[in-house]
Amino acid sequence: KNDSGPKKKEDLSPKSQWWEITSRLSFKKKSTNNFTRDKEILRTWQVTKLIKREPIPMPLRAKIWSVSSGASEIRKNHGEDYYQELLAQAREKKDHPEYLEMFREIRQDIRRSLPSVLGSTGRRKLSNVLKAYCMRNPNAIGYCQGMNVIAGGLITACGDEE
């Protein structure tokens, strides 16, 4: 007997469950952004259980990371061009004594950062991400060795440097 009624969430395949969860997040709807609610959705026991069974599908990783990390909220609060503004600040301050050492360390670490995985385009993106982070948090952290591995993994998983 074929039941034509709607499927329950638990009857969906794990990949379909990820798509269903993502469809409930407000970042997909331009008019509303409820970041607290979105984070609560991603912190439910169903999501915890699902992530143990099935990795997040590649097309959804950037969106889910954006919500869970708070990046979508930062983008909303500071404007869509915030990342580009941080990169412009980095270009302006490239010769400033306060940033010379940080940028030198980034250049040095970029050469060692997943060379076979990222390639030259990926390393450029990684350099941009790390410089933008330095502009956002110059006094708190700036740059420290190891950030390149974390950011490189995110670029590999998400594709987009923003």
Side-chain angles (χ1 to χ4, degrees):
K1 180 179 173 181
N2 187 1
D3 186 350
S4 61
K7 284 188 169 186
K8 296 178 185 174
K9 288 177 195 171
E10 32 312 325
D11 293 338
L12 297 172
S13 72
K15 279 190 177 153
S16 295
Q17 288 178 39
W18 277 118
W19 286 95
E20 191 279 326
I21 288 165
T22 308
S23 72
R24 291 186 278 146
L25 300 176
S26 65
F27 69 84
K28 292 191 134 221
K29 304 166 192 83
K30 296 227 182 235
S31 59
T32 62
N33 282 304
N34 187 339
F35 302 108
T36 304
R37 185 183 132 281
D38 287 353
K39 285 181 183 179
E40 288 172 2
I41 288 170
L42 293 176
R43 291 181 179 147
T44 61
W45 66 269
Q46 292 99 336
V47 172
T48 304
K49 185 177 169 183
L50 180 59
I51 205 164
K52 290 176 184 176
R53 286 181 37 207
E54 178 77 24
I56 300 168
M58 281 300 244
L60 300 178
R61 288 183 183 182
K63 294 170 184 169
I64 290 175
W65 173 255
S66 181
V67 171
S68 61
S69 69
S72 55
E73 187 172 6
I74 290 169
R75 191 175 297 118
K76 179 70 174 176
N77 292 339
H78 292 280
E80 290 294 322
D81 295 330
Y82 185 53
Y83 178 72
Q84 294 304 323
E85 291 167 10
L86 291 171
L87 290 179
Q89 287 176 27
R91 284 189 294 276
E92 289 170 13
K93 296 182 179 185
K94 70 179 180 182
D95 297 322
H96 191 279
E98 182 182 353
Y99 295 95
L100 278 174
E101 181 62 22
M102 277 191 273
F103 291 165
R104 186 190 67 73
E105 288 178 26
I106 289 171
R107 278 192 308 276
Q108 186 176 351
D109 283 350
I110 292 297
R111 289 192 301 267
R112 300 185 288 236
S113 300
L114 310 166
S116 62
V117 176
L118 291 176
S120 61
T121 302
R123 286 194 302 275
R124 181 190 48 75
K125 289 178 180 182
L126 179 57
S127 177
N128 287 343
V129 167
L130 296 172
K131 287 176 183 176
Y133 186 82
C134 286
M135 292 296 101
R136 179 162 163 67
N137 299 297
N139 299 321
I141 296 175
Y143 176 75
C144 68
Q145 194 172 19
M147 291 172 71
N148 58 326
V149 176
I150 296 167
L154 288 170
I155 289 170
T156 301
C158 299
D160 185 13
E161 66 188 88
E162 290 193 38

